[in-house]
Amino acid sequence: MLELEIVNIDLENGTMLGGLKTDSGKHRIVPIHSMILHIILRYYDKKNKYLFTDKNGNKIKYDKYYQDFLKFKKENKENFDITHVIHETRHSVCSDLDKYGANKKCRDMILRTQKQRSWR
């Protein structure tokens, strides 16, 4: 998400275009879930190149984000399980899909763990 550019957010159609790590994950269209739309709208600013920027409009680097996350965990340990990690959300989605009996092919399509397939 730190690499998400404003030009790749389509608010009219409720989608984002992104992905970096693998061929199957690059350039994929992802629907903006209603539960995160308010976050997208909060940071969406056409003056910036990236969705998430610092106070000067510069892209936030992963190392800075990670340090802020660690600081947040430390400052909020009474109200936040400090064993949480940044990449945890993907694992949680996978676990929940398995727990509730999601179709394996659909689960793999959501997580894009299979070889790249064209959605166009």
Side-chain angles (χ1 to χ4, degrees), residues 101-118:
N103 176 283
K104 182 180 176 348
K105 183 175 181 179
C106 292
R107 184 200 69 206
D108 290 344
M109 288 176 72
I110 291 168
L111 297 172
R112 301 290 281 191
T113 57
Q114 293 182 338
K115 292 185 178 181
Q116 183 165 356
R117 43 177 83 76
S118 174

Side-chain angles (χ1 to χ4, degrees), residues 90-100 107 111:
R90 186 176 194 280
H91 298 284
S92 296
V93 168
C94 186
S95 295
D96 283 350
L97 289 169
D98 285 342
K99 181 168 87 175
Y100 293 107
R107 184 200 69 206
L111 297 172

